[in-house]
Every structure is written in C-alpha cells, then in structure tokens.
Amino acid sequence: MAMHNPPHPGEFIQEVYLEPFGISSRQLSSSLGVSPSTLSRLLKKDSGVSPEMALRLSKVLGRSPESWLAMQDMYDLWMARNTVNLDDIHPLDFNAA
C-alpha cells in the first residue's frame, strides 16, 4: 500500500530527534562522523540517505539501516509518482512474439 506523502528522512530526523530533544545539527553531525554540511543537505532534503548514511543513522539514532533506506525509497517513489509522466509509456506484449 502506497503511503500518502511520506516524510523525507531529513524531515523525520528533524521532527522526531532534533527538535524534541534539543539536539543541534552540529551535535548530530559530530556523532555521525560527517561534516555539518553533509547533514545539512540531508535535513534540507537536498540529498538522500545512502547505505553508508543508513548505517551511521542506525548506530547513532537507532532503527535498522534497512528502515532508513526504506524511508528514503518510499519518499523517492512518491516524488517520482507525482512528477514522472508515464502517458507515452506502454507495457510490452509478451504474448505477441
């Protein structure tokens, strides 16, 4: 079942971890072992969660690496469904051959 407007992982991190617990992005970037600019791009939705970042987030914030990647995939697929025009795309007919 497709999720309606799933959150970007950066938005999720901001709302579930940083804001409620008063953690700064600099604190989190230090704990993750990444530059503040790398984390900033994720929080601003300018970049996504890579497998490496998923491992880091899992270790620092919890949740499985797979759940971080799944969250990114759900967001990316939702965005694609809302932006990609498939009107001229048609399935192949495998029975016609």
Side-chain angles (χ1 to χ4, degrees), residues 11-32:
E11 179 182 15
F12 181 83
I13 291 166
Q14 192 84 8
E15 292 177 4
V16 173
Y17 297 101
L18 299 186
E19 291 170 5
F21 295 101
I23 300 168
S24 73
S25 59
R26 284 200 176 272
Q27 285 175 296
L28 181 56
S29 67
S30 177
S31 293
L32 291 168

Side-chain angles (χ1 to χ4, degrees), residues 68-88:
W68 289 109
L69 291 172
M71 187 184 303
Q72 184 67 54
D73 283 346
M74 286 189 303
Y75 176 82
D76 291 343
L77 185 56
W78 185 84
M79 291 297 290
R81 282 188 171 132
N82 288 284
T83 57
V84 175
N85 182 344
L86 299 175
D87 292 345
D88 293 330

Side-chain angles (χ1 to χ4, degrees), residues 5-9 25 28 40 44 50 56-58 60 62 68 72 75 78 81-82 92 94-97:
N5 194 9
H8 183 278
S25 59
L28 181 56
S40 177
K44 292 179 180 178
S50 66
R56 292 172 186 269
L57 289 168
S58 178
V60 173
W68 289 109
Q72 184 67 54
Y75 176 82
W78 185 84
R81 282 188 171 132
N82 288 284
L92 291 173
F94 292 102
N95 294 321

